[in-house]
């Protein structure tokens, strides 16, 4: 029988906007590392930065990289850590945070004007999506520079908050005024499917904040948004989104929270007794964090949410360790990083 979950809070001296696990590497074979986007307005021009933190003591950073403005998105690939900012720039750097090896695309008319909220790596390129309604594919130019190619410009009619790759050719975006869009680069960078979510039923008006795509079932994505809304979208039935949590579902779905859902991820640690094969139509468990301080796992309407944390402040972001999925790191609005451990095996390793 597994031990009860444990939770450790590590206070920092500044706000923690975003946090991610870094992949294990030869540079740190015995130390698990975190990347955190830190905002400290009292530090003057260096108010925003990315910190490399050891799990053993997140209060003592190994390295730090200043950013030109507050971080709005943070993602890891096997070879790079990427951060996007409120001024529209994108920064790529090695997991060591060696500033000499960092490359960037500056914000401005040629890239993004304003915050970049959606950011993900698709095996060959990064995708960025911004509040300005622009979507870009960003890759190497062969000479060490980054080259950004504009895929779409919404010209103010839409604003993007999330982006996620499904395959090297397909990705999803979401935000305000567009619901969720599915793009296929094999069809000329075109939107091939669109889901307006459950908001079209007159329940609530909403915005998409986060998207995750199931790695083993790439036709299924899960979406987190306004008013505690979480739903799944299966491309096989594009007009029938599946509500997982939200306000006003006539008793069919129990809301896990009533505030903004900032992030959602498929939870590879929690096992559902009803999922017996990869061909099952049941949606896999989903972890979420919210503005009202909830970290929880939700499933379909016949399952009660599993509340993992209930904090007195917002949980701005979280990440599940891909190599140890029993471990979850989260960014707490009250200047702290939290580490949740679910299960005996990972606790024994530490």
């Amino acid at each position: 029988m597994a031990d009860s979950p444990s939770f450790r809070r590590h206070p920092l001296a500044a706000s923690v906007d975003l946090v991610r696990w870094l992949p294990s590497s030869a540079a740190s074979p015995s130390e698990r590392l975190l990347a955190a986007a830190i905002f400290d307005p009292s530090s003057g021009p260096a108010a925003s930065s990315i910190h490399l933190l050891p799990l053993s003591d997140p209060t003592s950073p190994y390295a730090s990289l200043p950013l030109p403005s507050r971080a709005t998105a943070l993602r890891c690939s096997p070879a790079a850590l990427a951060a996007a900012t409120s001024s529209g720039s994108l920064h790529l750097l090695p997991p060591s945070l060696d500033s000499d090896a960092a490359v960037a695309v500056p914000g401005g008319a040629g890239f993004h004007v304003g915050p970049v909220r959606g950011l993900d790596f698709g095996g060959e390129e990064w995708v960025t999506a911004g509040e300005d309604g622009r979507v870009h594919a960003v890759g190497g130019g062969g000479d060490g520079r980054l080259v950004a190619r504009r895929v779409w410009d919404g010209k103010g009619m839409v604003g993007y908050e999330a982006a996620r790759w499904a395959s090297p050719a397909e990705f999803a975006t979401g935000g305000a005024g567009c619901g969720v869009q599915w793009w296929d680069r094999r069809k000329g960078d075109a939107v091939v499917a669109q889901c307006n979510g459950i908001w079209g039923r007159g329940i609530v008006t909403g915005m998409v904040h986060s998207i995750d795509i199931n790695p083993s079932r790439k036709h299924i994505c899960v979406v987190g948004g306004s008013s505690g809304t979480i739903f799944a979208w299966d491309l096989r039935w594009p007009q029938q989104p599946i509500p997982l949590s939200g306000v006003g579902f006539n008793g069919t779905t129990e809301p896990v929270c009533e505030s903004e859902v900032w992030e959602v991820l498929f939870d590879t640690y929690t096992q559902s007794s009803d999922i017996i094969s990869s061909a099952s139509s049941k949606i896999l468990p989903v972890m979420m964090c919210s503005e009202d301080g909830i970290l929880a796992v939700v499933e379909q309407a016949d399952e009660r949410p599993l509340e993992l944390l209930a904090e007195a402040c917002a949980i701005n972001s979280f990440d599940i360790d891909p190599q140890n999925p029993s471990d979850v790191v989260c960014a707490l609005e009250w200047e702290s990083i939290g580490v949740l451990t679910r299960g005996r095996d990972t606790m024994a390793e530490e």
Side-chain angles (χ1 to χ4, degrees):
M1 181 176 177
D3 292 333
S4 299
S6 68
F7 181 65
R8 303 184 302 280
R9 186 180 287 102
H10 302 276
L12 301 181
S15 298
V16 185
D17 290 330
L18 302 159
V19 65
R20 301 284 179 252
W21 291 99
L22 285 176
S24 297
S25 67
S28 57
S30 61
E31 180 67 88
R32 295 162 67 192
L33 301 176
L34 308 169
I38 305 296
F39 179 69
D40 182 5
S42 66
S43 61
S48 301
S49 58
I50 302 298
H51 286 190
L52 181 65
L53 307 174
L55 179 62
S56 59
D57 184 10
T59 61
S60 301
Y62 278 166
S64 179
L65 179 76
L67 296 175
S69 57
R70 195 164 187 170
T72 50
L74 186 67
R75 291 289 183 195
C76 295
S77 77
L81 175 65
T85 71
S86 60
S87 57
S89 60
L90 173 67
H91 304 262
L92 264 61
L93 54 153
S96 64
L97 290 191
D98 180 2
S99 58
D100 293 335
V103 291
V105 181
F111 190 46
H112 286 283
V113 179
V116 179
R117 299 288 183 184
L119 174 65
D120 198 27
F121 184 67
E124 298 178 357
E125 292 180 307
W126 295 85
V127 62
T128 64
E131 289 185 7
D132 56 3
R134 295 175 179 177
V135 178
H136 289 88
V138 181
D143 55 0
R145 297 182 301 110
L146 290 177
V147 175
R149 182 178 62 83
R150 186 163 300 170
V151 176
W152 174 255
D153 189 348
K155 299 185 184 299
M157 299 300 292
V158 297
Y160 292 105
E161 293 279 321
R164 200 72 159 176
W165 284 100
S167 72
E170 300 164 289
F171 63 89
T173 57
C178 58
V180 185
Q181 297 175 321
W182 192 270
W183 306 72
D184 192 335
R185 303 184 64 193
R186 296 166 297 190
K187 300 180 180 180
D189 287 332
V191 173
V192 296
Q194 182 157 325
C195 175
N196 292 324
I198 52 83
W199 299 296
R201 302 177 187 179
I203 301 167
V204 290
T205 57
M207 176 181 291
V208 171
H209 292 306
S210 178
I211 298 172
D212 195 25
I213 296 175
N214 193 312
S216 62
R217 306 178 197 175
K218 296 185 183 296
H219 56 279
I220 298 176
C221 64
V222 64
V223 179
S226 302
S227 302
T229 301
I230 304 171
F231 65 89
W233 184 37
D234 190 328
L235 286 173
R236 297 171 299 182
W237 301 284
Q239 302 307 314
Q240 300 175 0
I242 303 166
L244 302 182
S245 178
V247 178
F249 287 143
N250 300 320
T252 60
T253 300
E254 181 176 347
V256 67
C257 74
E258 297 184 5
S259 66
E260 306 301 290
V261 175
W262 290 132
E263 195 149 29
V264 290
L265 290 174
F266 281 104
D267 185 9
T268 55
Y269 179 80
T270 302
Q271 299 297 317
S272 172
S273 60
D274 294 331
I275 299 175
I276 58 175
S277 73
S278 61
S280 171
S281 61
K282 188 171 177 68
I283 303 301
L284 295 172
V286 175
M287 188 177 291
M288 55 73 69
C289 70
S290 70
E291 174 67 22
D292 54 4
I294 302 297
L295 181 74
V297 177
V298 298
E299 299 189 51
Q300 282 180 249
D302 55 343
E303 300 285 348
R304 292 180 61 86
L306 173 62
E307 188 175 282
L308 300 174
L309 291 175
E311 292 292 300
C313 64
I315 300 179
N316 293 327
S317 77
F318 74 95
D319 197 21
I320 301 171
D321 187 345
Q323 295 164 312
N324 298 277
S326 60
D327 288 358
V328 182
V329 62
C330 53
L332 307 180
E333 189 174 49
W334 286 356
E335 301 181 351
S336 297
I337 285 177
V339 180
L340 177 76
T341 300
R342 302 175 288 172
R344 177 180 299 163
D345 293 342
T346 303
M347 291 175 68
E349 290 176 4
E350 295 183 6

